[in-house]
């Protein structure tokens, strides 16, 4: 059983995760159109992950006899001025998500809701990892710079990051 406050907060979180999934899909699509295959691959994966974050919440709410509301989402931007700008936006969006997650954890404590508090710990860890990843990428992009040749090197770097993530995911499955 979820309190109405927790139910409202989780429904709001469904919306944030769904928006992130579509925002990253839009970034993937733009990147592929620009010929940035490594960057596109990175964002297609992130988009699927965000959808998974949304689905976890939806199923948790149902397990707790709550009433998830599949959200209406705002249309994400479909053109972007640069890869650097994309990652700045992503980093800010992830910070916003982290703030919302912390808010739900705080609310779960206030409502004495141990189940939700426990459930949200996975998200606390996930946000820590995502913020670190995005900050690392932003730092690398700053080093590469924005000169004429930079897109080639950025995309090459993104491909290396994809391979690293795939290796880690593979190790996690074994
Ligand atoms: Fe599910 Fe990246 O927030």
């Amino acid at each position: 059983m979820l309190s109405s406050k927790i139910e409202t907060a989780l429904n709001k979180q469904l919306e944030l995760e769904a928006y992130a999934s579509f925002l990253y899909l839009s970034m993937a699509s733009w990147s592929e159109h620009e010929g940035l295959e490594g960057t596109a691959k990175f964002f297609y994966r992130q988009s699927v992950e965000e959808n998974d974050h949304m689905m976890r919440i939806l199923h948790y709410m149902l397990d707790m006899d709550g009433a998830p509301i599949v959200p209406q989402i705002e249309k994400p931007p479909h053109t972007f001025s640069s890869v650097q700008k994309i990652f700045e936006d992503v980093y800010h969006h992830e910070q916003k998500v982290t703030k919302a997650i912390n808010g739900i954890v705080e609310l779960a404590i206030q409502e004495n809701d141990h189940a939700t508090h426990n459930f949200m710990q996975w998200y606390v860890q996930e946000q820590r990892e995502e913020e670190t990843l995005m900050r690392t990428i932003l730092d690398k992009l700053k080093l590469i710079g924005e000169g004429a040749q930079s897109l080639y090197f950025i995309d090459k770097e993104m491909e290396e990051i994809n391979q690293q993530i795939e290796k880690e995911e593979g190790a996690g499955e074994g």
Side-chain angles (χ1 to χ4, degrees):
M1 181 78 188
L2 298 169
S3 73
S4 64
K5 279 186 186 172
I6 292 282
E7 197 171 69
T8 302
L10 289 174
N11 270 320
K12 185 75 199 141
Q13 194 62 32
L14 276 183
E15 194 180 326
L16 267 180
E17 304 288 353
Y19 180 76
S21 179
F22 271 66
L23 176 64
Y24 297 167
L25 182 61
S26 186
M27 289 169 169
S29 162
W30 178 85
S31 301
E32 187 173 340
H33 187 254
E34 295 293 311
L36 301 165
E37 298 293 333
T39 311
K41 193 171 167 189
F42 177 84
F43 280 114
Y44 283 127
R45 184 190 323 96
Q46 290 304 117
S47 175
V48 171
E49 273 196 18
E50 297 299 349
N51 187 65
D52 175 60
H53 296 173
M54 177 191 71
M55 293 304 290
R56 273 175 185 257
I57 295 171
L58 183 132
H59 287 303
Y60 171 74
M61 292 177 79
L62 290 168
D63 285 350
M64 296 296 286
D65 201 20
I69 299 169
V70 174
Q72 178 178 24
I73 28 183
E74 195 190 322
K75 187 175 169 184
H78 60 278
T79 56
F80 303 91
S81 55
S82 69
V83 179
Q84 282 89 345
K85 180 74 172 64
I86 283 184
F87 277 97
E88 278 165 22
D89 289 352
V90 168
Y91 185 46
H92 290 142
H93 186 74
E94 289 301 333
Q95 286 178 314
K96 188 174 157 186
V97 173
T98 300
K99 210 172 157 190
I101 299 280
N102 290 341
I104 299 173
V105 172
E106 195 59 40
L107 186 63
I109 293 168
Q110 283 168 24
E111 298 280 296
N112 207 17
D113 181 344
H114 295 275
T116 300
H117 184 270
N118 188 43
F119 170 71
M120 293 308 293
Q121 296 312 303
W122 183 89
Y123 286 84
V124 171
Q125 172 70 13
E126 181 71 9
Q127 282 311 117
R128 192 173 71 81
E129 288 172 12
E130 287 206 341
E131 279 200 32
T132 303
L133 175 64
M134 298 310 171
R135 211 172 41 244
T136 306
I137 294 173
L138 261 180
D139 288 345
K140 285 188 176 175
L141 297 192
K142 275 181 199 152
L143 281 176
I144 294 171
E146 294 196 46
Q149 308 280 313
S150 67
L151 280 179
Y152 170 77
F153 291 107
I154 287 173
D155 205 50
K156 208 161 163 279
E157 186 63 41
M158 291 311 301
E159 193 41 64
E160 278 174 29
I161 290 169
N162 288 331
Q163 283 172 14
Q164 183 63 31
I165 293 173
E166 280 162 23
K167 210 167 111 189
E168 285 167 14
E169 285 174 353
E173 282 165 14

